Amino acid sequence: MRTHYCGQVNSQLIGQEVRLCGWAHRRRDHGGVIFVDLRDREGLAQIVCDPDRPEMFAAAEAVRSEFCLRVTGKVRARPEGTVNPNIASGEVEILCHAMEILNASATPPFQLDEENLSESIRLQHRVIDLRRPQMQKSMQLRYQTARAFRRFLDDAGFMDIETPMLTKSTPEGARDYLVPSRVHPGQFFALPQSPQLFKQLLMVAGFDRYYQIVKCFRDEDLRADRQPEFTQVDIEASFMAEGEIVTLMEELIRAVFREVMAVELPNPFPRLSYGEAMDRYGSDKPDLRVNLELVEVADVLKDVSFKVFAGVANSPGGRIAALRVPGGATLTRGEIDAYTQFVGIYGARGLAYIKVNDVTQLNETGLQSPIVKNLHEVALKAIVERTGAQSGDLIFFGADKSKVVNDALGALRVRIGHEKNFLNGNPWEPVWIVDFPMFDFDETERRWTACHHPFTSPKDGHLELLQSDPGRCLAKAYDLALNGSELGGGSVRIHQPEVQESVFKVLGIGDEEAQLKFGFLLDALKYGAPPHGGLAFGLDRIVAMMAGAESIRDVIAFPKTQRAQCLLTDAPNSVDEKQLRELHIRLRQKVETQVEVGKG
């Protein structure tokens, strides 16, 4: 039906006849000559309709916004002074010889170039929203990114192998989406949170390099960068050590950014241990574009008369960190109050500060703050020296449990860095975070939990710590962060059944429970399982970063809302009684709102 896409028509085609198909983006009647901007996925082309062809002109007069058209015409140069440099076809126009209305359109719910549309309206009318040029670009960017991943992995000898969508529920971590079985009454499949166990089984089966661009499902609370169903680039390889995996995955990300964005990322990426990242940045996915850093000061505050500081400094698990803001003494009281309110989101009960008016006077004259009188000179001197504070600076303090301080000051560091332009000027700052702890201790349940997942291998030399001191045991785990967001994470897996059983014991998973939940994996590991490891990249998040989108919903064709609903199809929805009977399900109570059957 067509010879070219609209956005591909250029000056090299002048004098040639072309056939274009697309939608009427805009129609303008200029005193007897009608101009139609025809749009398709590649861009716009200006169609000129003269009245000397009555049948064609009558069709053009009937055209309205979003009519689906086919146009035949001759390419010609635009008149001098009318070139549009903002579109690919801006040097030419098409003199229309024939126009066919393939389908009329109802009045769209919004104009495609309308700005500040509410997200609910956009998602309710997603088909029209996807016609908008920005969404077309985002979908093309997503395709190009997935293609770049595939090209690199194919060339590196990885095989694309599908794993099951209906699998076994292993309730560790996020909640599963459950699917009731009709033929096995009272039993359920689960949609996979990741292909983790199956890709490990593939390694045991001898497929030593696997990948898959795969949908995963988690029934969890949602944020801008989360969806109940999301896409990840899932990768696993055998006979590769931790450093080899990290190096290859780094080459992969560099290749993807080079191909898709024409961006050269650093070579090599910097690497930080988890402990160093938390100490310096309060985050295991630090934004290294921001120049500010946290400094530990608890050790010099143990004997001060300021009880808030002294109490935390002498408490196990407590942390007192300082964040120096160069030139921050000019911050207004209102700005400081706003920052105090901001850290409260992360559990901080306050935000102490010192304005450094004169760094040569370590007293209430040179240092302005309600807390200065309760800090002795030795402590003040150490704080100034460690932070590198100068006259005119401001120092913020966080004092609480380590997690609260890291979360609060880590977020404050990023906010102030971007608001006050404490940036290094680099648009992309990747960093590997390595040497994660194997376990976290859950104070509520009084038990150890896996930091990554229970199939992660301990670092060499740390195996004996599994029983003697799990809190000191480090893992062969690694995450890749970019500009403060996690792109992906992975680990070297446990390939020896006795080590896997030891980890289960630390996690409080007994032999019977382990066999019930993971028996198929434990059995497979007995048959000469090779050393293996891998990683999964979040495709949605990577594309959102490339597109500069505020939410991953802007780079997913048909996303869910933050309440896990599809406004386009009105899902989830209720089902009829017959379907429930076939699935051997009885609702415990009638509900007025929609019932989502098959969800855990």
Side-chain angles (χ1 to χ4, degrees):
M1 293 182 74
R2 63 182 169 195
T3 60
H4 298 80
Y5 283 100
C6 295
Q8 294 174 345
V9 179
N10 55 40
S11 59
Q12 294 180 353
L13 298 174
I14 289 175
Q16 296 185 29
E17 184 178 271
V18 296
R19 291 192 306 276
L20 307 177
C21 295
W23 289 266
H25 187 69
R26 192 177 291 106
R27 174 187 174 278
R28 308 182 301 281
D29 192 334
H30 286 193
V33 177
I34 296 175
F35 294 85
V36 176
D37 291 336
L38 192 65
R39 185 193 70 248
D40 61 22
R41 75 179 200 186
E42 298 296 330
L44 296 170
Q46 179 170 280
I47 313 300
V48 182
C49 304
D50 288 335
D52 56 353
R53 295 176 184 265
E55 186 176 346
M56 176 275 296
F57 196 76
E61 288 183 312
V63 167
R64 296 294 181 268
S65 179
E66 296 309 304
F67 275 34
C68 187
L69 308 175
R70 180 171 67 169
V71 169
T72 302
K74 182 170 288 189
V75 181
R76 69 183 188 186
R78 291 200 188 196
E80 187 176 351
T82 64
V83 170
N84 184 351
N86 297 318
I87 61 175
S89 65
E91 295 181 347
V92 298
E93 59 189 16
I94 291 87
L95 179 62
C96 189
H97 293 168
M99 178 177 290
E100 180 183 356
I101 297 176
L102 298 174
N103 212 341
S105 172
T107 302
F110 48 81
Q111 295 298 315
L112 269 63
D113 54 3
E114 187 175 342
E115 298 181 359
N116 302 318
L117 287 167
S118 73
E119 186 178 59
S120 61
I121 293 295
R122 290 178 53 208
L123 294 182
Q124 184 179 354
H125 302 281
R126 188 60 161 182
V127 174
I128 303 302
D129 185 50
L130 284 170
R131 289 184 183 178
R132 296 166 61 224
Q134 183 55 51
M135 292 303 301
Q136 294 273 315
K137 290 178 182 176
S138 293
M139 291 301 102
Q140 289 196 43
L141 179 65
R142 185 185 180 96
Y143 159 69
Q144 291 162 0
T145 304
R147 182 181 62 183
F149 271 109
R150 289 187 184 279
R151 179 176 288 123
F152 182 95
L153 292 168
D154 289 343
D155 291 346
F158 286 79
M159 294 176 61
D160 183 353
I161 304 177
E162 295 178 352
T163 52
M165 284 290 106
L166 294 176
T167 183
K168 183 177 182 177
S169 176
T170 54
E172 298 287 331
R175 289 182 293 272
D176 287 327
Y177 277 101
L178 299 179
V179 181
S181 170
R182 180 182 60 82
V183 296
H184 298 283
Q187 297 185 319
F188 295 80
F189 294 105
L191 300 181
Q193 296 187 28
S194 88
Q196 178 62 47
L197 299 182
F198 284 103
K199 67 180 180 180
Q200 288 193 244
L201 294 175
L202 286 170
M203 296 301 104
V204 181
F207 298 97
D208 64 335
R209 290 197 171 195
Y210 143 95
Y211 85 94
Q212 187 181 187
I213 298 181
V214 61
K215 282 284 189 184
C216 301
F217 305 85
R218 292 179 188 172
D219 187 7
E220 60 183 353
D221 296 332
L222 307 174
R223 299 193 299 270
D225 60 347
R226 296 285 176 90
Q227 281 278 289
E229 54 176 316
F230 57 95
T231 304
Q232 66 184 36
V233 183
D234 201 56
I235 302 167
E236 197 81 3
S238 297
F239 308 113
M240 293 186 73
E242 179 181 2
E244 293 174 307
I245 296 172
V246 167
T247 297
L248 183 62
M249 294 302 99
E250 184 176 312
E251 291 176 8
L252 166 60
I253 291 298
R254 264 197 302 272
V256 169
F257 271 76
R258 183 183 304 117
E259 177 176 335
V260 178
M261 301 287 289
V263 165
E264 286 294 337
L265 295 177
N267 186 8
F269 295 173
R271 299 185 189 185
L272 292 172
S273 70
Y274 171 85
E276 184 180 2
M278 299 305 291
D279 287 346
R280 294 172 60 185
Y281 306 109
S283 172
D284 60 0
K285 47 182 180 293
D287 187 345
L288 297 189
R289 295 172 299 175
V290 177
N291 291 323
L292 308 177
E293 293 191 19
L294 310 186
V295 175
E296 182 63 46
V297 293
D299 58 307
V300 298
L301 296 170
K302 292 184 176 182
D303 60 348
V304 298
S305 58
F306 186 43
K307 293 184 179 180
V308 173
F309 281 2
V312 172
N314 289 284
S315 297
R319 182 182 189 192
I320 306 177
L323 175 65
R324 171 199 169 208
V325 182
T330 60
L331 291 176
T332 66
R333 181 68 205 186
E335 288 178 301
I336 293 174
D337 289 344
Y339 290 143
T340 302
Q341 186 176 9
F342 172 72
V343 297
I345 299 171
Y346 300 91
R349 290 170 287 185
L351 186 61
Y353 68 91
I354 294 175
K355 285 188 176 182
V356 183
N357 296 325
D358 185 349
V359 75
T360 64
Q361 299 188 58
L362 301 180
N363 52 40
E364 293 181 68
T365 301
L367 306 176
Q368 179 185 344
S369 170
I371 68 172
V372 169
K373 60 185 178 182
N374 296 313
L375 305 180
H376 51 66
E377 186 175 344
V378 173
L380 292 171
K381 182 179 180 181
I383 290 169
V384 168
E385 289 179 350
R386 291 186 188 182
T387 60
Q390 303 295 320
S391 299
D393 292 350
L394 181 141
I395 304 170
F396 282 119
F397 296 89
D400 210 310
K401 293 181 179 178
S402 291
K403 184 180 188 312
V404 173
V405 172
N406 290 335
D407 290 349
L409 281 195
L412 182 63
R413 167 189 171 270
V414 173
R415 175 170 172 174
I416 292 176
H418 286 278
E419 285 185 353
K420 302 300 181 181
N421 199 33
F422 294 114
L423 305 172
N424 61 20
N426 297 330
W428 303 100
E429 283 285 4
V431 58
W432 284 105
I433 307 299
V434 299
D435 295 346
F436 281 84
M438 276 282 288
F439 308 103
D440 278 329
F441 191 75
D442 188 318
E443 294 288 350
T444 303
E445 298 188 10
R446 306 299 300 169
R447 69 182 185 92
W448 292 104
T449 60
C451 283
H452 270 63
H453 54 60
F455 316 107
T456 298
S457 176
K459 297 283 282 189
D460 295 337
H462 285 232
L463 185 59
E464 63 276 8
L465 295 174
L466 287 176
Q467 301 302 326
S468 63
D469 194 353
R472 289 179 51 220
C473 186
L474 298 181
K476 292 182 180 179
Y478 34 82
D479 284 0
L480 179 60
L482 180 66
N483 293 358
S485 292
E486 181 188 327
L487 292 192
S491 66
V492 172
R493 323 302 185 187
I494 297 169
H495 68 283
Q496 297 168 312
E498 62 273 16
V499 177
Q500 186 65 76
E501 290 167 1
S502 296
V503 170
F504 282 157
K505 287 180 181 178
V506 175
L507 297 173
I509 301 174
D511 293 343
E512 185 175 341
E513 182 182 2
Q515 191 63 35
L516 180 66
K517 291 181 177 179
F518 310 110
F520 59 95
L521 174 66
L522 295 174
D523 290 343
L525 294 181
K526 297 175 183 177
Y527 296 103
H532 60 279
L535 181 143
F537 291 109
L539 182 65
D540 309 306
R541 191 173 298 173
I542 290 173
V543 178
M545 292 184 69
M546 288 177 164
E550 293 184 3
S551 165
I552 62 172
R553 292 187 291 277
D554 287 333
V555 297
I556 298 172
F558 301 104
K560 306 294 188 292
T561 67
Q562 286 188 326
R563 298 188 65 235
Q565 292 175 301
C566 175
L567 299 183
L568 176 68
T569 62
D570 195 27
N573 65 319
S574 57
V575 298
D576 60 38
E577 192 64 32
K578 179 183 177 183
Q579 290 174 288
L580 292 175
R581 284 198 304 269
E582 287 178 338
L583 295 171
H584 313 284
I585 289 177
R586 178 183 298 157
L587 300 182
R588 297 178 65 179
Q589 61 182 18
K590 294 290 184 180
V591 291
E592 296 297 328
T593 56
Q594 294 173 336
V595 178
E596 188 172 359
V597 177
K599 258 191 150 177

